[in-house]
Amino acid sequence: MRALLVVNPAATTTSARTRDVLIHALASEMKLEAVTTEYRGHARDLGRRAADSDDIELVVALGGDGTVNEVVNGLLHGGPDPDRLPRLAVVPGGSTNVFARALGLPNDAVEATGAILDALSNRSERTVGLGLAAGTPGTDDESVPSRWFTFCAGFGFDAGVVGRVEQQRERGKRSTHALYVRQVVRQFLDEPHRGRGMITLERPGEKPVSDLVLSIVCNTAPWSYLGNRPLYASPAASFDTALDVLGLSKLSTPAVARYATQLLNSTPERGPHGKHAVSLHDLTDFTLQSKVPLPFQMDGDHLGLRTSVTFTGVRRALRVIV
């Protein structure tokens, strides 16, 4: 088997020595080309190269969720084709690694590598669904190119938190769960629309859902992790279905306290709920519109401000080694 290993040297939980050990372990079982990313978007370019090749059968992403997202977008640059495209394997190297953990892989790079080698030996794989976000025709964002996401997207409050975290990381702060918690508090204190939301969810044949302060789009569950604690924003979300949405229409101090507590205590059976919470399951096509530009994120990557995003849930988009 010929495989391409995409290595993010800035992965927060792997050292250079650990990465060398992983490369040697993988190279012992396959014909491996290892490439270290050198710029933002490099992993996407490498994924595209693999998709267009005639002989690469497997792409291994060693890094966090951002690295995985770039590789996936490169692999699917011409659209989903699970039977033709190289398979994907993920070695978690970031601070959270939601996609890898949602697949059931260990949250340790060495253990995950062992699990991947076992899966390859046993020919164990699955085909997962993905989300696709694009600019909405007829809006100011219609020219925004489409982009795939593996586990979540967010429009509004949570995307603002992601943007704040990225700003702190650019200033030299480490990506920790404590950093995320601090930015949640700061985003809440500065949120100008927490009393009345600006977001409307529109879907074919259904009444619009309006006045949302935040909207979290999930492609799997859990939505994220706080340390080792899984957080289930949409417990029914699955790689085998389309997309789920959790929307909140109010973020007063009591509401935030209530929904934060529910999220921290969420389970695979029950997520945030109440009169200001809207939960929608298995949506194939829908649009989120805002009266004002709001922050937007995908797979933990802040993508700036948007006024409208159109989502598509695509079942059976990519084969993954598990």
Side-chain angles (χ1 to χ4, degrees), residues 30-52:
M30 62 191 74
K31 185 177 180 181
L32 185 73
E33 177 188 2
V35 181
T36 300
T37 57
E38 299 177 354
Y39 53 86
R40 188 181 182 98
H42 193 182
R44 180 197 61 226
D45 295 341
L46 292 169
R48 181 170 186 150
R49 192 189 97 192
D52 293 339

Side-chain angles (χ1 to χ4, degrees), residues 16-95:
R17 179 176 294 179
T18 300
R19 291 192 288 273
D20 286 342
V21 170
L22 301 180
I23 290 171
H24 286 300
L26 292 168
S28 68
E29 300 294 332
M30 62 191 74
K31 185 177 180 181
L32 185 73
E33 177 188 2
V35 181
T36 300
T37 57
E38 299 177 354
Y39 53 86
R40 188 181 182 98
H42 193 182
R44 180 197 61 226
D45 295 341
L46 292 169
R48 181 170 186 150
R49 192 189 97 192
D52 293 339
S53 74
D54 294 326
D55 56 353
I56 295 178
E57 301 174 67
L58 174 69
V59 177
V60 184
L62 171 52
D65 289 311
T67 302
V68 175
N69 180 278
E70 285 195 13
V71 169
V72 167
N73 274 277
L75 284 171
L76 272 66
H77 76 93
D81 189 348
D83 295 329
R84 181 189 65 82
L85 292 173
R87 291 165 292 170
L88 173 70
V90 179
V91 178
S95 59

